[in-house]
Amino acid sequence: MIFPKIDPDSSIETDVSTLDTSCDTSLSHEQILSQVKQPRGQGAGMRALNLTGHVGFDSLPDQLVNKSVAQGFCFNILCLGETGIGKSTLMDTLFNTHFDSTPSTHDLPGVKLKASTYELQESNVRLKLTVVDSVGFGDQINKEDSWKPIVDYIDAQFDNYLHEELKIKRSLHNYHDTRIHACLYFIAPTGHSLKALDLVTMKKLDSKVNIIPVIAKADTITKAELSKFKQKIMHELTSNGVQIYQFPVDDDTVADTNKTMNGHFPFAVVGSSDEVKIGNKMVKARQYPWGTVQVENENHCDFVKLREMLIRTNMEDMRETTHNKHYELFRKNKLQEMGFSENESKSLSETYELKRQQHLSELQKKEDEMRQTFVIRVKEKEAQLKDTEKELHDRFDALKKKHAEEKKKIEDSKKKLDDEIASFAQRKANYQQQQSTLGKKRK
């Protein structure tokens, strides 16, 4: 209930008809007056009013929970690791279901990302789960750019969300958020050290996604080797400046548990969808000639720790970290590329106009450069054509001169031949005359 201020020096008989009694209609006019009136000199200006009913804003958390449950939740996991390391099996084991997966070959020319979305429900909570598998990762001979398709995919999801956010008519409440919330990086259980591909890839991804390193197929090495392997992995990640996701310790309810679990990185996991009867119950396990490895037995592997931290305890924190840290960093860089600055307080129209002027200036500069280049090329072409024309004229003159010489030679040869023909005809005529004269003498 809100009352207007009362001047301490004014009369205490305030017109209570102006008081707002909309919060509690159960109070009568006389009750309000008796609570407001005080003798002058005893706490003048101070009034005490005890609430006689329930206000009800403590139901806000319940309202948020009901609204969130009605809308449902989404969670996106990127499974990153070499082919055949057990990514699909671990996902099936984590969510106690069987996802559609096709075995991949080792002869793919490059790395591809394959996303599959599933609708899951537990009690009355619906979860839209997207599992993104890295197909062909680590199979190429040249692994120099194996991380690039993964970074491009993560950035593409951020860019899609930013595009939706910048629309005039947004629909973020029903937008399918495909941003990666957690990256399970599967490490081969070599027992020695991380591969160069692992270090380079995690370094490229640590500012874009929450990385949770896991040692796959941890039942293939001994406990002593596993402990040393974990220490070596964490030492290499720290020395190379790779930032992996840390479970939050600011919430008192889970601070101790998360702090303890942060010391268990990387999680050594075993996945299996096969059930084996141990004692009187069926458990997920892997059977070997020498014994049985129980997936949910914490003495055998860290699968339960991973499941508790990833799904039960910190799923919402990973969603918030993705939005508030990784996406905000991408958004900041993207908007700075668009011309926005966090130090200058400019309106959207001013920023747009500035960016437009810069764009027009760049276009004008490019146009001038292209015009200058065109003029230079035209001049070069004209000079080249002049040289070609001169060369052709020289060749024509040479051919013309050669033709005149050849013509003169032919005419000289023809004149000589005509003289020879005339001489031959004269000799022939003389011979015929001599023969005719001889014939007459004989007669």
Side-chain angles (χ1 to χ4, degrees):
M1 183 179 295
I2 303 173
F3 294 103
K5 276 193 172 182
I6 301 177
D7 188 355
D9 297 330
S10 64
S11 174
I12 196 65
E13 281 78 11
T14 306
D15 185 5
V16 296
S17 63
T18 61
L19 298 179
D20 182 9
T21 60
S22 59
C23 290
D24 193 352
T25 56
S26 62
L27 295 178
S28 65
H29 187 81
E30 290 76 19
Q31 288 175 325
I32 296 174
L33 182 61
S34 64
Q35 292 178 5
V36 172
K37 284 187 176 181
Q38 296 183 21
R40 199 174 284 187
Q42 296 182 4
M46 301 293 292
R47 300 168 304 285
L49 180 62
N50 297 324
L51 294 175
T52 59
H54 182 68
V55 174
F57 58 79
D58 60 350
S59 66
L60 276 174
D62 297 332
Q63 297 176 34
L64 290 175
V65 169
N66 294 335
K67 184 177 180 180
S68 299
V69 169
Q71 289 179 349
F73 302 88
C74 71
F75 192 65
N76 308 317
I77 302 178
L78 170 62
C79 298
L80 187 53
E82 299 175 0
T83 304
I85 204 169
K87 303 186 291 295
S88 301
T89 303
L90 183 64
M91 287 296 102
D92 292 346
T93 312
L94 272 175
F95 293 94
N96 195 26
T97 186
H98 182 71
F99 298 121
D100 298 331
S101 60
T102 305
S104 176
T105 60
H106 292 268
D107 55 354
L108 296 177
V111 181
K112 295 182 180 179
L113 280 300
K114 179 183 177 184
S116 302
T117 302
Y118 307 94
E119 295 280 352
L120 305 180
Q121 183 164 347
E122 188 176 66
S123 298
N124 64 332
V125 178
R126 293 179 294 107
L127 178 67
K128 182 178 286 187
L129 175 68
T130 300
V131 179
V132 183
D133 187 15
S134 57
V135 182
F137 181 75
D139 290 340
Q140 295 75 33
I141 296 176
N142 183 6
K143 303 179 180 64
E144 183 178 359
D145 294 331
S146 295
W147 54 269
K148 196 172 185 308
I150 302 162
V151 172
D152 292 342
Y153 179 85
I154 296 174
D155 286 344
Q157 310 318 306
F158 284 152
D159 194 62
N160 292 339
Y161 190 88
L162 179 62
H163 181 69
E164 181 67 27
E165 197 177 50
L166 294 177
K167 283 183 178 179
I168 295 177
K169 187 177 180 180
R170 299 181 297 179
S171 56
L172 293 175
H173 61 283
N174 58 3
Y175 173 75
H176 181 203
D177 187 4
T178 57
R179 296 174 296 177
I180 301 299
H181 300 123
C183 171
L184 294 181
Y185 195 97
F186 289 75
I187 300 171
T190 60
H192 299 289
S193 61
L194 288 172
K195 299 178 181 179
L197 176 63
D198 299 331
L199 287 172
V200 171
T201 304
M202 281 194 273
K203 185 62 180 175
K204 294 290 183 181
L205 295 178
D206 63 356
S207 62
K208 297 179 179 295
V209 70
N210 302 316
I211 300 177
I212 301 177
V214 295
I215 301 174
K217 298 182 178 180
D219 53 339
T220 59
I221 53 179
T222 65
K223 269 194 172 183
E225 291 174 340
L226 186 59
S227 178
K228 293 179 180 178
F229 191 34
K230 283 187 174 186
Q231 294 176 6
K232 192 159 189 175
I233 288 174
M234 293 307 299
H235 175 71
E236 289 182 345
L237 292 177
T238 304
S239 60
N240 286 278
V242 178
Q243 301 294 326
I244 63 174
Y245 173 73
Q246 295 290 319
F247 300 123
V249 293
D250 52 354
D251 187 355
D252 294 337
T253 58
V254 294
D256 294 337
T257 303
N258 283 350
K259 186 176 181 181
T260 303
M261 290 301 170
N262 284 333
H264 283 280
F265 278 126
F267 292 118
V269 296
V270 177
S272 175
S273 55
D274 299 332
E275 291 190 350
V276 179
K277 188 172 183 180
I278 304 293
N280 296 326
K281 62 179 182 178
M282 301 295 291
V283 297
K284 288 183 171 60
R286 297 184 69 89
Q287 283 189 318
Y288 295 96
W290 43 263
T292 303
V293 177
Q294 299 179 34
V295 173
E296 296 178 336
N297 189 336
E298 295 191 46
N299 293 323
H300 293 182
C301 68
D302 297 333
F303 172 80
V304 174
K305 296 183 178 68
L306 174 64
R307 184 179 61 187
E308 292 292 309
M309 292 296 100
L310 181 68
I311 301 176
R312 182 177 181 182
T313 308
N314 299 296
M315 179 181 285
E316 182 59 26
D317 181 76
M318 283 184 280
R319 285 159 41 90
E320 291 180 357
T321 303
T322 299
H323 181 80
N324 297 330
K325 180 181 176 182
H326 302 302
Y327 170 70
E328 285 298 321
L329 178 61
F330 174 85
R331 180 177 177 272
K332 172 186 173 183
N333 295 334
K334 202 72 173 179
L335 292 180
Q336 285 178 347
E337 292 177 5
M338 296 169 62
F340 291 89
S341 175
E342 57 182 341
N343 297 325
E344 299 178 3
S345 56
K346 293 182 180 179
S347 65
L348 178 62
S349 60
E350 291 174 341
T351 304
Y352 172 77
E353 185 62 26
L354 178 61
K355 193 67 177 177
R356 179 175 173 273
Q357 293 298 332
Q358 291 177 353
H359 181 65
L360 292 176
S361 176
E362 291 177 0
L363 286 179
Q364 185 64 38
K365 184 179 178 181
K366 289 182 179 179
E367 184 179 354
D368 294 339
E369 291 177 354
M370 291 178 65
R371 184 180 290 108
Q372 187 177 1
T373 303
F374 177 75
V375 170
I376 292 174
R377 288 186 178 179
V378 167
K379 289 182 178 180
E380 291 177 352
K381 197 67 176 177
E382 287 179 349
Q384 185 180 357
L385 289 173
K386 286 182 179 179
D387 293 340
T388 304
E389 185 179 5
K390 186 176 179 300
E391 183 181 353
L392 289 174
H393 279 297
D394 293 341
R395 288 177 61 187
F396 176 74
D397 292 340
L399 289 173
K400 188 176 180 182
K401 184 179 179 181
K402 185 178 179 181
H403 177 263
E405 291 176 354
E406 291 291 336
K407 184 179 180 181
K408 186 179 179 183
K409 287 181 181 179
I410 292 172
E411 288 178 351
D412 292 343
S413 299
K414 182 181 180 183
K415 185 179 179 182
K416 185 179 179 181
L417 182 60
D418 290 340
D419 293 341
E420 289 179 356
I421 292 174
S423 177
F424 176 77
Q426 183 66 35
R427 288 199 304 269
K428 181 180 179 182
N430 293 337
Y431 175 77
Q432 289 178 350
Q433 189 177 5
Q434 289 176 2
Q435 288 295 327
S436 108
T437 303
L438 287 175
K440 288 178 180 181
K441 286 182 179 182
R442 286 178 183 172
K443 291 179 178 180

